[in-house]
Amino acid sequence: MAAIIDFLNTIFWGYILIYGLLAVGVYFTLRLGFIQVRRFPEFIRTVLKAPQSDRGGISPFQALCTSLASRVGTGNMTGVAVALYLGGPGAIFWMWVVALIGMATAYAESTLAQLYKMRDQNGQLRGGPAFYISKGLKAPWAGAVFSLALILAFGLVFNAVQANSIAGAMEGAFGIDTSVTGIVIMLLAAIVIFGGIKKIARFAEIVVPFMAVLYLLLALYVIFTNLSDVPAAFALIVKSAFGIEQAAGGVLGAMLNGVKRGLFSNEAGMGSAPNIAAVATPNPHHPASQGMVQSLGVFIDTLLICTATALMILLSGALGNGETGIMLTQTALTTHIGSAGHYFVAIAIFFFAFTSIIGNYTYAENALTYLKWANKPGIFILRILALGMIPWGAYESVAMVFNAADAAMGLMATINLIAIMMLSGLVIKLTKDYFTQLKTKTPVFNSDDYPEIRDDIDLSVWDEKPSK
């Protein structure tokens, strides 16, 4: 098993994604005229505008919060620590690079997801990469392959990652055996997946944003109380990224681990966030506006929250003590605020990771729907497999679980990056259309201006304008 996973990671991360991810991000950054920098104020406006109603959709702000609930979690608290341990401080610089150019990639994939969304038989909006691959590229088979990769990554492997982080945090804070934690999480997840998902999801919508804001405020407190050491920490990150200062893994190790952990955290280009972006009712009523909302999510996730975690670890002096993963983050926070740090991280990661497990399963069930396998036996099998990955992930080592996640993520991202590159001309046209209209009026998508795709999009979604 380990040999197969290592082989896949060598292919994906040694040859395809380490270059492809950066190349696609650079391509969209240049073709869109540095949209993530020049149009950043518009990104914020699209989130803050009054929501429009749609019988089957959610608001842009809800879509941002939902995607952040998935993004903000193990990648920010565990992934950053793993990146620092394996790649040194320089890995954080490459996480920044991936986030900055990844904002353009996230914009492109979520804009496409909005354009090709459809209304199902229950009136609910559905969409995501499988839909724009199937309709935009006329390749239903490729949409099916992506859906299988999504089920593998989000329905199975990523649940193991979340469980691993919760178990490690609980063992570090409360001394609870990881196997016991794994079984408890599995039982709690089973209750949600098999029954009370709506009530607990509403609870999570309140708790997760609250915990994310609380975590960021705590990080800001640490930064301000160590303000004199912050410039040196930033300097160490930059120097290590280019080999000026010796760091674990050297320049290549810093770059490789920064890119991998950056993608795992902000998910730009992976094809996961577009599944949420597709079900939002954008304001303005144009696909490009939701692309901006999800691009902003990458900025918040990596450039704000991941950086905050990295600075807390570097300012604590805990890096290099032999710890990695969530235990390193707990030790760092304990250094800053005492024993409460251990408990705070354990509680925060529980809420972040547990809700991510439920969200990941929802992605997987959505993919099952695309594959037309969402009958009772199909859903039951998916649920059993998804739940079975939780105790396995809690018991396995951090390295093994993250390596498995890298392989599954690599497969998904490779398919998605090829698709959005092949549809890049449409992204450019949509973007020009949006900002040309913005000069004189509120942009509105008009399907008559896109005769080449009228037969491929759900006109009932775009020609039936939502009410305020």
Side-chain angles (χ1 to χ4, degrees):
M1 177 69 133
I4 294 172
I5 290 172
D6 288 342
F7 172 75
L8 290 173
N9 278 330
T10 299
I11 298 296
F12 288 133
W13 295 102
Y15 300 99
I16 299 175
L17 288 179
I18 190 69
Y19 304 109
L21 183 70
L22 297 173
V24 171
V26 169
Y27 173 81
F28 278 110
T29 296
L30 295 176
R31 285 297 307 274
L32 296 171
F34 290 86
I35 186 173
Q36 66 270 53
V37 178
R38 292 174 53 245
R39 303 293 187 177
F40 191 77
E42 182 65 14
F43 286 22
I44 297 174
R45 279 194 290 270
T46 56
V47 175
L48 298 179
K49 283 188 176 180
Q52 294 181 319
S53 62
D54 184 288
R55 64 183 184 274
I58 60 176
S59 73
F61 182 73
Q62 286 175 318
L64 175 65
C65 288
T66 303
S67 63
L68 279 175
S70 175
R71 286 185 174 117
V72 178
T74 58
N76 303 81
M77 303 174 80
T78 304
V80 171
V82 171
L84 284 167
Y85 176 78
L86 296 175
I92 305 305
F93 176 86
W94 295 109
M95 288 183 76
W96 293 342
V97 171
V98 167
L100 280 171
I101 65 173
M103 288 176 71
T105 309
Y107 166 81
E109 62 180 355
S110 291
T111 297
L112 289 170
Q114 265 286 303
L115 179 66
Y116 286 101
K117 68 185 178 182
M118 59 173 286
R119 202 180 300 279
D120 66 14
Q121 66 271 22
N122 299 316
Q124 298 299 306
L125 294 176
R126 300 285 184 185
F131 291 82
Y132 59 70
I133 291 169
S134 175
K135 295 176 180 293
L137 299 180
K138 306 293 193 295
W141 65 269
V145 173
F146 177 87
S147 295
L148 289 170
L150 178 65
I151 291 170
L152 176 65
F154 280 83
L156 304 179
V157 180
F158 281 7
N159 283 347
V161 174
Q162 310 296 343
N164 185 275
S165 294
I166 295 174
M170 291 298 171
E171 185 179 45
F174 305 107
I176 301 172
D177 185 83
T178 55
S179 298
V180 173
T181 301
I183 293 170
V184 171
I185 298 167
M186 182 183 69
L187 293 174
L188 290 173
I191 293 171
V192 178
I193 290 172
F194 279 100
I197 188 165
K198 288 186 178 180
K199 290 182 179 178
I200 297 181
R202 282 197 290 269
F203 172 73
E205 282 180 350
I206 298 171
V207 173
V208 173
F210 174 76
M211 291 300 297
V213 170
L214 190 61
Y215 182 74
L216 192 55
L217 288 174
L218 184 59
L220 288 173
Y221 165 77
V222 170
I223 290 168
F224 280 115
T225 54
N226 295 273
L227 205 54
S228 60
D229 296 325
V230 171
F234 276 111
L236 178 63
I237 290 171
V238 176
K239 288 178 181 179
S240 299
F242 296 99
I244 300 171
E245 184 113 6
Q246 185 60 40
V251 176
L252 185 60
M255 181 185 295
L256 182 63
N257 284 286
V259 170
K260 285 200 291 188
R261 297 280 68 80
L263 175 59
F264 181 78
S265 178
N266 64 53
E267 301 180 12
M270 194 193 305
S272 54
N275 291 278
I276 290 296
V279 302
T281 303
N283 185 13
H285 195 63
H286 193 288
S289 64
Q290 181 55 213
M292 295 178 211
V293 170
Q294 293 303 324
S295 183
L296 186 63
V298 173
F299 175 85
I300 295 170
D301 172 87
T302 305
L303 293 172
L304 293 184
I305 300 178
C306 284
T307 300
T309 300
L311 287 175
M312 285 195 293
I313 292 173
L314 292 174
L315 292 171
S316 72
L319 185 63
N321 66 2
E323 290 181 324
T324 185
I326 198 67
M327 288 179 285
L328 176 57
T329 306
Q330 283 181 306
T331 299
L333 207 51
T334 299
T335 302
H336 293 298
I337 64 171
S339 59
H342 247 64
Y343 305 120
F344 177 83
V345 172
I347 294 168
I349 203 69
F350 173 82
F351 283 113
F352 289 149
F354 183 74
T355 52
S356 291
I357 288 172
I358 306 308
N360 290 348
Y361 169 78
T362 305
Y363 283 160
E365 192 170 297
N366 190 51
L368 209 67
T369 302
Y370 174 84
L371 293 168
K372 296 182 171 57
W373 294 347
N375 50 32
K376 286 186 177 180
I379 291 176
F380 180 78
I381 291 170
L382 175 64
R383 287 172 174 172
I384 295 301
L385 291 174
L387 292 170
M389 292 296 287
I390 294 173
W392 176 78
Y395 175 77
E396 281 291 342
S397 67
V398 174
M400 175 64 179
V401 172
F402 265 92
N403 282 341
D406 288 338
M409 180 172 62
L411 179 59
M412 264 186 69
T414 299
I415 298 169
N416 187 55
L417 290 175
I418 292 170
I420 63 175
M421 282 298 293
M422 294 179 72
L423 293 168
S424 61
L426 193 51
V427 176
I428 308 303
K429 181 176 180 178
L430 286 163
T431 306
K432 288 180 178 178
D433 178 31
Y434 183 93
F435 287 106
T436 298
Q437 290 189 57
L438 188 63
K439 293 175 182 177
T440 57
K441 62 178 183 178
T442 299
V444 175
F445 178 78
N446 185 350
S447 62
D448 292 335
D449 296 332
Y450 297 82
E452 70 275 23
I453 61 168
R454 272 183 64 88
D455 293 338
D456 301 321
I457 62 176
D458 189 338
L459 296 177
S460 72
V461 171
W462 290 111
D463 289 350
E464 178 190 309
K465 302 298 185 292
S467 60
K468 290 192 176 181

